[in-house]
Amino acid sequence: MLLSLDTREVGRVTVVHCKGRIIGGRESESLRAHLAWLLHTRRSFVLHLGEVGFIDSSGLGTMVRALTSTRQARGELKLCNVPEFARRVLELSRLTSVFDVHESEEGAVAAFYLPGAHTEAPVPKGRSVLCLDSNADVLAYLRELLQRAGYDAQSSMRVSDALLLMRVTRFDLLLVGPDMTASAAKPPAFQNACARLPVIELGTDFSTTDAGEAGAQLLETIETRLTSKAV
């Protein structure tokens, strides 16, 4: 089976879900090139190995090189859901002390939020906002807009990832896209989490309105909500 890489952002962390074999040749090269490309803009990585069926010496070497490159860039790469055969490979290769291995994806992501953990950049000191929307372009705009306004902006495209983030860190406000708002399948845990902090629902026209006007209006709404919360 060829190696497939499913990548998504979970707050400050980039999760790369690997499926197939990590072996010498095209598979190892695709993993190396993908992580090198991500390293241009990101520094916190989790390799999910739960669906990896085989790793050869070249594949393991690629993982070691990726770890080295990430750390040289002052980032960190963690492993999660490592199959038993891969654990034996790491033990026999005496690499268990080199890689930071976690039982679950949640545990690996949460480790990046512990005090003193490696971060891709200084963590902003402003109020923290979690943005939840299925549109990656909208999320990119929201992060840039909010960070330039002094907020610690993090994002997610999945309700399950948003719940994970709300378990491992604290947010002052939640921005929710219209498609997420309309979903009738939101788990009770997510509804309960939303009840504990201010929530602003983005209108259906947010992504089509003039970006400057939409951004200015949103920042005003956020400031109003956070100010009223503090009173």
Side-chain angles (χ1 to χ4, degrees):
M1 179 187 293
L2 294 177
L3 180 65
S4 65
L5 304 170
D6 180 19
T7 303
R8 73 187 199 280
E9 294 181 4
V10 183
R12 302 190 189 107
V13 182
T14 300
V15 177
V16 181
H17 193 129
C18 305
K19 183 177 182 180
R21 300 184 301 169
I22 303 178
I23 59 176
R26 184 164 62 173
E27 285 81 0
S28 287
E29 177 57 26
S30 67
L31 178 60
R32 184 207 63 77
H34 186 63
L35 291 173
W37 176 73
L38 291 172
L39 199 55
H40 283 96
T41 56
R42 306 288 284 182
R43 293 291 184 274
S44 304
F45 303 103
V46 171
L47 277 188
H48 188 302
L49 303 181
E51 294 188 77
V52 171
F54 184 73
I55 302 175
D56 68 6
S57 297
S58 294
L60 186 58
T62 296
M63 292 168 55
V64 172
R65 289 174 61 197
L67 176 65
T68 300
S69 298
T70 302
R71 288 179 174 170
Q72 287 175 343
R74 295 191 175 184
E76 184 58 66
L77 183 150
K78 303 180 188 298
L79 306 180
C80 75
N81 296 79
V82 179
E84 185 57 35
F85 83 87
R87 287 183 180 274
R88 290 197 299 271
V89 169
L90 292 176
E91 290 171 0
L92 291 172
S93 306
R94 299 186 178 182
L95 292 174
T96 50
S97 61
V98 175
F99 286 99
D100 185 8
V101 181
H102 293 263
E103 292 294 327
S104 67
E105 182 178 288
E106 178 169 345
V109 172
F112 280 103
Y113 285 84
L114 294 174
H118 284 277
T119 57
E120 61 191 58
V123 177
K125 301 300 183 182
R127 289 166 293 186
S128 185
V129 179
L130 175 59
C131 309
L132 175 61
D133 196 289
S134 63
N135 189 318
D137 293 330
V138 169
L139 289 179
Y141 172 61
L142 288 172
R143 288 195 304 271
E144 187 68 19
L145 174 74
L146 293 171
Q147 287 168 2
R148 288 183 176 276
Y151 294 99
D152 173 13
Q154 300 184 52
S155 63
S156 170
M157 296 179 67
R158 299 182 183 181
V159 170
S160 58
D161 288 341
L163 274 171
L164 190 164
L165 290 169
M166 286 190 277
R167 285 194 292 270
V168 301
T169 191
R170 185 188 68 83
F171 293 97
D172 296 299
L173 184 95
L174 175 64
L175 286 180
V176 184
D179 53 342
M180 299 295 183
T181 304
S183 173
K186 293 192 294 293
F190 181 69
Q191 298 179 32
N192 293 337
C194 290
R196 295 194 294 269
L197 76 166
V199 178
I200 294 177
E201 298 179 357
L202 298 176
T204 55
D205 59 345
F206 179 81
S207 61
T208 58
T209 304
D210 176 88
E213 294 179 3
Q217 180 59 52
L218 179 61
L219 289 176
E220 183 178 331
T221 302
I222 290 173
E223 184 62 29
T224 299
R225 288 297 302 276
L226 291 177
T227 300
S228 62
K229 173 190 173 184
V231 174

